[in-house]
Amino acid sequence: MPTNIKLTLSYDGTNYHGWQIQRDLPTASGTLKEAILKLTGEEVQLIAASRTDAGAHALSQVVNFKTSSLLPVSSYPKALNAHLPQDIVVYAAEEVDGNFHARFSAKKRIYEYVILNLEYPAPIYRNYAHWVEERLNLKKMKKAIGVFIGQHDFTSFTSSAGGGKNPIRKIDKISIYEHKDFIRIQIEGDSFLPGMVRTIVASLIEVGLGRLDPVKVKQILEARDRALTPPPAPACGLYLAKVKY
């Protein structure tokens, strides 16, 4: 009987066209799948907790796959890392119940968005934080957070790729932290629509810049009209921070 293996990994998404495999394009999933093939000799089906966007990163992505390989589970992290580029690192592996599904078994997902709020951009962070030149008003941004908490129809905050999916989602918590010139927005919820986190962040940035009133954010949410929201914030600042089971 095949063994169900759960991997936890981190990756720098700069050089990848997202998680999901795409023909003739480098993806995090495709790169990991190739490493597993080299290690086990098997073409496996990878199931991930989240399909991150092109250019987005993961501090803690969770995947599972079934294999007939007799390799000890404890050997997977180092053995796979030997076949992976330096921008993808597997740091945990365990055998799980056959019914475990990295996506559907997940209870909560936590995303983090990093903003560099500085007069001039910092080249070293260009792929890892979204630069916003004008000073953001965190007090106003925090005031707008409450609009998103709870279960809502997030049609206004999803990309066109979300067409056909149930737009009802529940957000448990949004926190905003400031440390020197960096602002971190952390969002926790059951699941998210395509582009949802980045569009929420973009709206909060508009509030922080004084271009969008916190009261207006509630009206946009209730309107269920994607045309009313700003374009999603750049993917470079987005991180899948944690998946809870």
Side-chain angles (χ1 to χ4, degrees):
M1 181 178 293
T3 303
N4 196 11
I5 303 293
K6 172 189 173 187
L7 301 178
T8 307
L9 61 147
S10 177
Y11 53 84
D12 173 348
T14 302
N15 296 320
Y16 299 104
H17 290 258
W19 169 263
Q20 193 70 359
I21 290 178
Q22 299 184 50
R23 184 186 296 272
D24 300 325
L25 291 173
T27 64
S29 176
T31 304
L32 177 59
K33 190 172 181 179
E34 184 178 339
I36 294 172
L37 174 62
K38 290 178 179 177
L39 181 63
T40 67
E42 296 178 338
E43 284 269 5
V44 301
Q45 179 185 3
L46 279 180
I47 299 169
S50 175
R51 298 177 180 180
T52 51
D53 300 328
H57 316 289
L59 300 175
S60 185
Q61 169 74 284
V62 176
V63 304
N64 76 284
F65 64 94
K66 294 184 177 180
T67 176
S68 297
S69 173
L70 299 179
L71 284 169
V73 176
S74 60
S75 70
Y76 272 92
K78 289 187 177 181
L80 283 173
N81 290 336
H83 294 288
L84 287 167
Q86 292 183 335
D87 53 11
I88 300 179
V89 174
V90 175
Y91 60 86
E94 61 180 296
E95 181 178 346
V96 288
D97 183 87
N99 294 322
F100 176 84
H101 191 287
R103 179 183 175 192
F104 296 131
S105 298
K107 302 297 184 185
K108 303 289 180 184
R109 294 166 176 83
I110 300 175
Y111 284 91
E112 190 167 293
Y113 196 91
V114 180
I115 298 167
L116 177 63
N117 198 196
L118 195 61
E119 183 179 2
Y120 297 101
I124 195 170
Y125 295 119
R126 70 189 186 282
N127 294 321
Y128 308 106
H130 172 37
W131 172 57
V132 176
E133 178 181 1
E134 298 176 56
R135 182 54 54 183
L136 292 170
N137 186 322
L138 266 62
K139 187 175 181 180
K140 287 185 177 180
M141 293 171 70
K142 290 178 179 179
K143 184 177 180 181
I145 282 175
V147 171
F148 301 107
I149 304 302
Q151 184 169 287
H152 303 284
D153 183 327
F154 282 95
T155 297
S156 295
F157 294 86
T158 185
S159 64
S160 57
K165 291 192 175 184
N166 183 353
I168 306 298
R169 292 292 187 272
K170 181 184 177 185
I171 291 182
D172 298 307
K173 184 179 180 181
I174 300 180
S175 303
I176 299 179
Y177 307 95
E178 183 178 26
H179 179 67
K180 296 184 179 179
D181 298 313
F182 289 94
I183 295 170
R184 295 187 298 116
I185 301 175
Q186 195 174 86
I187 304 179
E188 179 174 345
D190 299 346
S191 61
F192 297 87
L193 295 164
M196 180 175 159
V197 173
R198 293 197 288 133
T199 305
I200 289 174
V201 168
S203 300
L204 290 174
I205 289 173
E206 289 296 295
V207 170
L209 292 173
R211 298 199 288 244
L212 182 62
D213 190 282
V215 176
K216 182 67 174 177
V217 176
K218 186 175 188 296
Q219 296 172 355
I220 292 173
L221 177 67
E222 293 173 345
R224 300 191 294 277
D225 184 354
R226 181 65 183 87
L228 299 177
T229 50
C236 62
L238 183 63
Y239 297 77
L240 174 60
K242 188 175 183 179
V243 183
K244 296 181 179 180
Y245 291 94

